[in-house]
Amino acid sequence: MREPYTIFDIVHRDGWNCWICGSACRRPSQPWTYHGAVATIDHLVPLSLNGPDILANVKLAHHRCN
């Protein structure tokens, strides 16, 4: 199952905090460069375990926490 969403849809719902450690995430930049504090999309039930790719199954996490 797939539902269209963006990182900004998650931010609108949850804010810019990492759901794992609770501290603020950095906004992704263009062009994308690695930084441990940049926000990434984390699936609560991983896609590898047949988790759905829908907004209800994702949260923001730092790159280093994810």
Side-chain angles (χ1 to χ4, degrees):
M1 172 186 268
R2 170 93 170 86
E3 156 186 289
Y5 61 85
T6 68
I7 198 166
F8 299 105
D9 295 325
I10 302 167
V11 168
H12 178 71
R13 182 189 66 195
D14 300 335
W16 279 103
N17 291 334
C18 174
W19 81 274
I20 297 170
C21 74
S23 63
C25 293
R26 285 182 57 176
R27 297 169 192 243
S29 60
Q30 293 292 335
W32 191 86
T33 56
Y34 173 78
H35 191 284
V38 168
T40 61
I41 295 173
D42 188 18
H43 289 82
L44 302 175
V45 178
L47 298 176
S48 63
L49 297 177
N50 296 320
D53 193 13
I54 61 174
L55 187 60
N57 188 43
V58 294
K59 295 216 177 236
L60 284 189
H62 291 116
H63 194 277
R64 66 175 168 254
C65 293
N66 194 355

